[in-house]
């Protein structure tokens, strides 16, 4: 039988190995019944007291998100691709939020200011939140890709959506954020975020209107990216987004007035 110190060392080795695989984009590994039993016993046993110099387990959402932010800055799976720009843009908002919004990737303004959704699409998002009776500070906003996708040396203000490979490289970070925050629900803003988080394909039109489920039965709603409303100001487009937000409000058990329910309906 292994001693407590040997078991602690073995756990550390396994944990670090799994972290390395996660950074490489590996989402699952095969295990036999014996290994599954050992991992289960580790997950339900009381945590061992840390040895001198060993960091304590992260407990609060603040600690977990801060740890992920620092890890993301030098995320090797993303760096190895060579197709993403240097500056990492992590997240913004309340780590105790009941609602998490997941967007696409940083653009020019987001990279410049180091915060998601601060350009014209961010201004449109703020309008949507105000209509819901929420403030930006009350929610948590992140992107499915943590770095602005590169378009070469003369990129300027131009942006492009991240590739599936770029999304896969950053996805473990996003999933870890959701595990740390444990929101009531998630809203994917646009097809890129939806495909990255939920897998599969399909247009936003085919994905919206229902609740999808992530691991641990986390409800996910898909809606159009705020930039879509900058290109399409039709009443039907605005109503479609608003119906998705009404569903989110209902899931959060927020008060909804008759006036709010009638936004963007034909008169």
């Amino acid at each position: 039988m292994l001693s407590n110190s040997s078991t602690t060392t073995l756990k550390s080795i396994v944990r670090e190995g799994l972290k390395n695989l996660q950074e490489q984009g590996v989402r699952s590994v095969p295990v036999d019944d014996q290994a599954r039993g050992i991992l289960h016993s580790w997950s339900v046993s009381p945590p061992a007291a840390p040895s001198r110099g060993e960091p304590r387990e992260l407990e609060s959402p603040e600690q977990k998100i801060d740890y992920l932010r620092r890890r993301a800055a030098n995320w090797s799976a993303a760096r190895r691709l060579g197709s993403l720009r240097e500056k990492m843009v992590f997240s913004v908002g309340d780590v105790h939020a009941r609602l998490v919004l997941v967007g696409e990737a940083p653009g020019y303004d987001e990279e410049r200011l180091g915060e998601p959704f601060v350009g014209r699409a961010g201004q449109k998002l703020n309008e949507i939140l105000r209509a819901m009776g929420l403030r930006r500070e009350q929610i948590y906003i992140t992107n499915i890709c943590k770095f602005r996708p590169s378009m070469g040396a003369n990129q300027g203000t131009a942006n492009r959506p991240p590739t599936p490979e770029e999304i896969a490289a950053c996805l473990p970070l996003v999933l870890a954020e959701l595990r740390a925050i444990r929101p009531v629900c998630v809203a994917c803003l646009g097809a890129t975020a939806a495909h990255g988080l939920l897998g599969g394909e399909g247009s936003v039109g085919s994905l919206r209107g229902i609740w999808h489920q992530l691991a641990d039965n986390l409800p996910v709603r898909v809606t159009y990216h705020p930039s879509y409303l900058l290109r399409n100001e039709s009443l039907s487009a605005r109503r479609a987004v608003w119906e998705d937000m009404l569903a989110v409000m209902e899931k959060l058990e927020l008060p909804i007035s008759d006036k709010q329910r009638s936004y963007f309906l034909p008169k």
Side-chain angles (χ1 to χ4, degrees):
M1 181 178 293
L2 293 173
S3 66
N4 287 338
S5 60
S6 297
T7 301
T8 301
T9 301
L10 183 57
K11 287 181 182 180
S12 299
I13 293 171
V14 172
R15 186 181 296 115
E16 188 60 31
L18 292 175
K19 284 181 181 177
N20 290 336
L21 289 173
Q22 189 179 55
E23 290 184 13
Q24 295 169 30
V26 177
R27 300 181 63 178
S28 63
V29 293
V31 293
D32 58 23
D33 291 340
Q34 182 179 14
R36 188 178 294 108
I38 293 172
L39 293 172
H40 177 71
S41 68
W42 287 355
S43 68
V44 299
S45 60
S51 60
R52 186 182 300 274
E54 181 182 349
R56 294 184 177 274
E57 292 293 334
L58 303 175
E59 295 179 355
S60 70
E62 289 87 353
Q63 290 173 313
K64 294 174 181 177
I65 295 300
D66 181 64
Y67 171 77
L68 290 170
R69 188 187 304 273
R70 287 184 280 110
R71 293 269 295 179
N74 296 293
W75 194 244
S76 60
R79 298 296 189 191
R80 280 196 300 268
L81 294 174
S83 60
L84 296 169
R85 289 169 62 90
E86 184 70 19
K87 184 174 180 179
M88 187 273 296
V89 180
F90 195 70
S91 66
V92 67
D94 185 0
V95 299
H96 298 277
R98 301 173 66 235
L99 170 63
V100 171
L101 302 182
V102 180
E104 182 175 278
Y108 170 78
D109 291 309
E110 288 74 20
E111 182 184 56
R112 181 171 58 88
L113 298 176
E115 182 176 318
F117 283 96
V118 292
R120 292 182 63 216
Q123 294 170 14
K124 178 61 68 174
L125 177 61
N126 292 343
E127 293 176 10
I128 295 171
L129 292 173
R130 283 195 295 271
M132 297 171 68
L134 294 172
R135 300 189 311 276
R136 187 179 174 95
E137 298 78 16
Q138 292 177 291
I139 63 172
Y140 184 89
I141 307 174
T142 189
N143 278 317
I144 202 73
C145 183
K146 300 298 185 183
F147 302 82
R148 183 183 175 201
S150 176
M151 298 176 69
N154 299 317
Q155 181 167 353
T157 60
N159 301 310
R160 68 166 174 84
T163 66
E165 293 76 19
E166 291 164 346
I167 292 171
C170 294
L171 184 60
L173 291 166
V174 180
L175 296 177
E177 287 175 271
L178 296 179
R179 288 194 298 270
I181 295 170
R182 301 177 65 84
V184 172
C185 62
V186 175
C188 286
L189 306 179
T192 299
H195 296 163
L197 196 61
L198 299 172
E201 300 178 351
S203 65
V204 172
S206 67
L207 295 171
R208 60 173 295 272
I210 62 172
W211 285 103
H212 304 266
Q213 297 289 329
L214 276 183
D216 301 324
N217 296 319
L218 177 59
V220 178
R221 200 81 175 189
V222 177
T223 192
Y224 294 99
H225 194 280
S227 62
Y228 173 77
L229 297 180
L230 298 175
R231 303 188 304 270
N232 183 355
E233 297 183 352
S234 68
L235 195 65
S236 60
R238 287 182 286 174
R239 179 63 191 182
V241 172
W242 186 241
E243 287 176 353
D244 297 327
M245 294 301 100
L246 286 174
V248 169
M249 292 174 69
E250 289 172 349
K251 181 69 71 174
L252 296 173
E253 298 183 347
L254 295 176
I256 304 175
S257 67
D258 290 340
K259 181 179 180 180
Q260 286 174 308
R261 290 195 181 277
S262 66
Y263 285 167
F264 311 118
L265 285 175
K267 296 183 179 179

